Amino acid sequence: MENTGIQNALKHARQNRGRHLDGFKELLRFPSVSLDAAFQSELRDCAEWILGEMTRIGLRNCRLLPTAGNPIVYAEFLDAGEDAPTVLL
């Protein structure tokens, strides 16, 4: 028998496929070439968009961390349980 959590996630993904694809397409429109200095403004816009999405979906402690190079987008979800794996993107 398949895990109920996985079944629920798949059901949600199927029911919201169009909305998720629209968001993904919006993300892909950013010309965020991190190695090209000509795209630094667009890269920052992309990072801010990702930050907004992380906030929208309920992640906590969402912030942009400045660096000497490209910004780091950081957010937390610490409610999965002690035995849950950690994911870093």
Side-chain angles (χ1 to χ4, degrees):
M1 183 170 171
E2 194 172 338
N3 181 310
T4 303
I6 292 172
Q7 289 174 334
N8 289 340
L10 290 172
K11 180 180 177 182
H12 174 80
R14 287 181 189 115
Q15 289 175 339
N16 295 281
R17 182 177 188 268
R19 184 170 54 89
H20 294 309
L21 281 175
D22 288 345
F24 188 56
K25 289 174 187 177
E26 186 176 349
L27 174 63
L28 291 176
R29 284 188 197 102
F30 287 99
S32 54
V33 182
S34 66
L35 295 178
D36 189 335
F39 291 98
Q40 288 303 300
S41 176
E42 290 86 352
L43 184 67
R44 175 73 184 201
D45 292 344
C46 182
E48 289 175 357
W49 184 88
I50 292 170
L51 180 70
E53 286 299 293
M54 289 177 152
T55 301
R56 182 186 65 77
I57 66 172
L59 298 180
R60 297 190 190 114
N61 197 16
C62 301
R63 54 194 164 132
L64 287 180
L65 303 174
T67 71
N70 298 322
I72 296 171
V73 183
Y74 178 87
E76 298 173 349
F77 178 76
L78 304 175
D79 300 328
E82 291 183 19
D83 295 334
T86 299
V87 178
L88 176 64
L89 302 172

